[in-house]
Amino acid sequence: LCGNDSLHSSTADLMSRYVSKEMGYGVPQEGWRICLAHEFKEKRKPFQAKDVSLSNIWDHVGLGIRYLKWWYKKTQVEKKAPFIDMFGAQPLRQIYGAPLGGIGGGTITRGWRGEFCRWQLNPGMYHYKTVTANQFTVCLRRGGQTVYQQVLSVERPPTLQGWNWGYCGEYAFYHALYPRAWTVYHLPGQNVTLTCRQISPIIPHDYQDSSLPVAVFVWDIENKNDYDLDVSIMFTMVNGSGQKDDKSGGHWNEPFHLEKEGEAVSGVLLHHCPPLNPYTLCIAAREQPDREVSHQTAFSPKGTCSSLWSDLITDGRLDSPTGSSPPTPRGDKVAAALAVSCSVSAQGHNSLEFCLAWDMPKITFGSREREHIRRYTRYFGTKGDASPSLSHYALTHYRQWEKSIEEWQRPILQDKSLPSWYKSALFNELYFVADGGTVWTELSEDADVSGGMRSEDGGLPAQPAVIKEYGRFAYLEGQEYRMYNTYDVHFYASFALIMLWPKLALSLQYDIAGSVVQQDPTERLHLMSGRCSPVKAKNVVPHDIGDPDDEPWQRVNAYLIHDTADWKDLNLKFVLQVYRDFHLTKDSQYLQDMWPICQAVMESEIKFDLDGDGLIENSGYADQTYDGWTVTGPSAYCGGLWLASLCVMCKMARLVENEEKYKYYRDLLDRGSAAFDQLLWNGKYYNYDSSGRDFSNSVMSDQCAGHWFLKASELGEGDYQAFPKEKIQTALKTVFDLNVMSFAGGHMGAVNGMRPEGVPDRSSVQSDEVWIGVVYGLAATMIHEGMWEEGMRTAEGCYRTVWERLGMAFQTPEAYCEKGIYRSLAYMRPLSIWAMQLALNRGIVISSENGLQTHLQLLM
């Protein structure tokens, strides 16, 4: 199979320091696996202003000066976080594992060594603090005596030195197959193996449980001794998230017990009470006849903290005081502990269950103008007292979640034609749906998403049914590029949503459509050009719906580097997504609602057909391609998106029975296709643009993006063909030979721009980068065209580089260069790997319909 040899070598490298033979309890074969003692050899640095090459500096001097002035005002005067911080990029920390929590209620990320280390409880705002006291500890007792007690952490921190730290990482490994993860600990000298299974309720086509801010930890204990053991697991948690307000005072803890429907849960509530977005953390366990649950309501997570350690070591349980702790004085922190104990017979197995929940039902963004209600409150209320019910629900329903997850993943995991790296990439890249600063809120009763133009006037309903029923959804362009629903990037990432949570994809589309008809004439300076222009023009798709440090949905286009009114790709990407989403959902009301909006945005594009040949032209920074690469005349990327959009407009015109519009778009398509071929086709691929400049004949990896969307929508042939099949396949072969195989030995995916002579195009800041999400889309296009092996080889390079070589698990960046640097960690676009799965599904369907073999058998 494609790439199988390298799979074994790279997996072996991540596990090379593992010395135990224990493989844990119920750990799946597929996924991302790493020994806790592993150290990544390659250390990369984030792209910063100093990394702009000398040849590109002159083009960016003005931008640099304007950005510096804006950055100073934002950070020093307004005391706000810039939406892109070129002076404060996150350093690479090669530590992250699968995040905890459902969609839209905030996330807490655990590292693969077990630390709680990345926090997004306030919507869209991240901080990266490892909270040392947040740990699991194991206590083994035999014959009434404690024989072993260990914090399950490889760290040796300078605090809490009354605890036994420094677990040997060579005896443990981590395995992630999102939304679940497993950590296997072999306890040296004890003949005991612990497997911690972490479960978050990320369930396709589920719009209730998938919204819950909870995670469950199931500890499976295997006793390989010839005698019984009593085993306790202690879960400790600080009230807060490692920020300054942990010491702001007024925080307090209380124990709780909740019994309903014949099931009892008990634990500790940690009430965190800042003035903005207060919340309650909850650590809980299920009460069962043969388990003992005990707690410590409050302890101070500073100093040696020996008393808590001694409390557990004495008898394997905690004191369990009653009553609440007093509010913390300013300057102090407070933490809580929960322990669960059970007996494990000789050569036997037992399990313990914990839940972590957090309840922040009402949220305000940075402007503090409006209060928003999170989606999960539809089921658990808005009063801020839901943590006991959330934890009870999670502990009594997680088995059903796992059953649903296994049923969803099983057909792909059991498909022997698919390589193991792909299975890991497909599911693990989904982390960003929850951990993309994601918010999922209820639509308020007075909300109007139509932009002020009603259905009868060619607009939308004030409250479309899909938003009313399924809520509003937004996710960031990236954890470091802090703009919600960045549309040119969502174009790629949207495959994950439309395939797995289609109602959220449609909800997002209605929000975008409503903003299309709006305009904001407020003049502002755009940093790239230095010119002032309106924030938002009418009948133009916005770049984004806002910054979480401001007021998303109310103020769009937080991105102020370019004037996005000139970005021709945004409107085209809207049209292409509208039809693809209709094709996959068959939602006729959606098509009816979107048809007039699509016509309006296409009319705003047609003005760029300057010479009347049916093909739009570019000037300046009008293409969503590479910053600093000026595009002149028709280009492969935007020209291709334009033709594909005309194609789907023809299809939609037929569906709504508007023959006049069909003929109109058909005429544009026929003339545009001819001009596109004449101006851009050179016999082997489509030139970057038609300007005739030195670099206009560069090979762009993403030149077939328009065709990709047509194939994803089961168009691109017969009456709805925009590009000759033989030219698409020749172009894809050229991209594979040059951008993939002639770059980094064919092991790092496809570079954005390549010269025909086989060297990367370095004429712009981003042309010599690899964009992981673009590569996955390119691979999908290859698979649609029957180039299965080439597509898999192309995508494999990115997965190997990010997950196995650079240590960027669960923070896949927007881009990396061949050497040295990366850009924008934890980015939206790599969700486009689900476009590969759509292409694979299509291949199987077509093969079976024709009575042929599967795609792999055809290749072999």
Side-chain angles (χ1 to χ4, degrees), residues 197-236:
R197 184 168 84 257
Q198 166 186 312
I199 306 132
S200 292
I202 304 292
I203 304 162
H205 306 285
D206 177 294
Y207 300 92
Q208 176 176 324
D209 290 7
S210 290
S211 73
L212 303 183
V214 297
V216 171
F217 302 96
V218 178
W219 287 84
D220 285 293
I221 306 154
E222 296 175 276
N223 178 11
K224 304 292 180 70
N225 294 292
D226 293 327
Y227 47 82
D228 297 351
L229 284 171
D230 292 320
V231 180
S232 302
I233 301 285
M234 178 175 72
F235 185 13
T236 49

Side-chain angles (χ1 to χ4, degrees), residues 538-540 565 567-569 571-572 575 595 597-618 638 642-643 645-646 649 660-661 663-669 671-672:
K538 189 174 182 179
N539 290 340
V540 174
W567 279 31
K568 299 172 185 62
D569 69 312
N571 284 351
L572 305 176
V575 171
W595 169 243
I597 309 293
C598 288
Q599 292 181 79
V601 299
M602 288 298 282
E603 286 306 306
S604 71
E605 293 288 301
I606 287 170
K607 67 186 178 188
F608 295 110
D609 178 11
L610 303 180
D611 53 12
D613 62 359
L615 192 62
I616 61 172
E617 299 184 24
N618 299 321
C638 261
W642 166 249
L643 295 180
S645 297
L646 289 172
M649 290 301 285
E660 180 185 350
K661 284 297 181 183
K663 291 176 180 176
Y664 173 67
Y665 292 119
R666 182 84 245 176
D667 174 62
L668 284 169
L669 176 59
R671 289 188 290 117

Side-chain angles (χ1 to χ4, degrees), residues 157-432:
T159 58
L160 306 175
Q161 292 191 346
W163 298 9
N164 183 25
W165 295 90
Y167 173 85
C168 181
E170 294 179 350
Y171 288 89
F173 70 87
Y174 178 84
H175 185 97
L177 187 66
Y178 189 74
R180 298 191 293 172
W182 294 255
T183 312
V184 176
Y185 302 89
H186 181 62
L187 304 184
Q190 304 305 311
N191 227 7
V192 170
T193 300
L194 308 176
T195 303
C196 176
R197 184 168 84 257
Q198 166 186 312
I199 306 132
S200 292
I202 304 292
I203 304 162
H205 306 285
D206 177 294
Y207 300 92
Q208 176 176 324
D209 290 7
S210 290
S211 73
L212 303 183
V214 297
V216 171
F217 302 96
V218 178
W219 287 84
D220 285 293
I221 306 154
E222 296 175 276
N223 178 11
K224 304 292 180 70
N225 294 292
D226 293 327
Y227 47 82
D228 297 351
L229 284 171
D230 292 320
V231 180
S232 302
I233 301 285
M234 178 175 72
F235 185 13
T236 49
M237 197 81 185
V238 171
N239 185 327
S241 60
Q243 289 187 290
K244 289 180 181 178
D245 71 10
D246 291 4
K247 294 183 177 182
S248 63
H251 311 311
W252 57 286
N253 300 345
E254 62 172 327
F256 80 93
H257 172 84
L258 176 63
E259 186 167 353
K260 62 180 180 180
E261 298 166 1
E263 296 278 0
V265 165
S266 59
V268 183
L269 304 175
L270 297 83
H271 301 293
H272 197 73
C273 308
L276 184 68
N277 296 340
Y279 61 91
T280 298
L281 288 167
C282 170
I283 52 176
R286 191 185 208 159
E287 292 190 358
Q288 293 173 279
D290 54 349
R291 314 279 194 281
E292 182 175 10
V293 181
S294 58
H295 70 269
Q296 184 54 259
T297 308
F299 70 91
S300 174
K302 65 180 181 181
T304 62
C305 206
S306 298
S307 58
L308 180 72
W309 191 260
S310 300
D311 188 5
L312 183 68
I313 212 168
T314 302
D315 56 6
R317 62 183 304 282
L318 300 173
D319 281 347
S320 301
T322 58
S324 306
S325 69
T328 54
R330 181 175 291 275
D332 284 359
K333 296 181 184 181
V334 67
L338 185 71
V340 189
S341 311
C342 68
S343 295
V344 188
S345 61
Q347 302 296 328
H349 160 267
N350 212 337
S351 62
L352 302 172
E353 304 164 335
F354 291 85
C355 176
L356 173 63
W358 51 98
D359 183 23
M360 184 193 285
K362 300 176 182 179
I363 53 173
T364 56
F365 294 105
S367 74
R368 307 189 186 187
E369 292 174 22
R370 291 168 178 257
E371 188 174 75
H372 302 265
I373 307 300
R374 294 202 197 257
R375 167 72 176 183
Y376 75 88
T377 62
R378 177 176 290 210
Y379 313 104
F380 287 90
T382 61
K383 295 180 181 178
D385 59 358
S387 290
S389 296
L390 280 166
S391 58
H392 186 284
Y393 187 87
L395 286 166
T396 54
H397 286 77
Y398 79 85
R399 287 190 179 90
Q400 181 58 48
W401 298 343
E402 290 196 282
K403 184 182 177 197
S404 299
I405 291 165
E406 287 167 0
E407 287 173 356
W408 157 48
Q409 294 183 338
R410 186 181 298 115
I412 294 168
L413 298 179
Q414 291 184 349
D415 186 343
K416 291 185 171 63
S417 74
L418 298 174
S420 290
W421 69 262
Y422 171 77
K423 297 169 185 177
S424 172
L426 184 71
F427 293 114
N428 284 325
E429 290 289 9
L430 267 181
Y431 84 95
F432 196 84

Side-chain angles (χ1 to χ4, degrees), residues 452-561:
M453 185 181 289
R454 292 287 184 267
S455 304
E456 56 270 21
D457 301 317
L460 299 170
Q463 297 203 341
V466 71
I467 302 187
K468 210 169 179 181
E469 177 60 29
Y470 296 100
R472 285 182 127 167
F473 175 86
Y475 59 159
L476 295 176
E477 178 176 338
Q479 291 180 10
E480 295 190 87
Y481 283 17
R482 214 183 54 244
M483 295 158 282
Y484 273 128
N485 294 351
T486 298
Y487 203 72
D488 60 298
V489 183
H490 171 69
F491 176 74
Y492 296 81
S494 61
F495 283 87
L497 280 185
I498 195 61
M499 292 171 71
L500 301 174
W501 293 276
K503 301 299 186 184
L504 295 184
L506 298 187
S507 172
L508 187 156
Q509 285 286 89
Y510 273 102
D511 264 327
I512 293 291
S515 67
V516 166
V517 301
Q518 291 179 310
Q519 55 187 341
D520 182 350
T522 308
E523 294 275 320
R524 73 172 176 190
L525 179 71
H526 288 94
L527 301 181
M528 180 65 81
S529 66
R531 295 192 300 267
C532 287
S533 58
V535 169
K536 170 70 173 63
K538 189 174 182 179
N539 290 340
V540 174
V541 170
H543 172 272
D544 58 83
I545 63 153
D547 175 354
D549 207 23
D550 186 25
E551 192 60 43
W553 290 300
Q554 296 302 309
R555 282 187 289 280
V556 303
N557 279 342
Y559 185 79
L560 47 71
I561 293 178

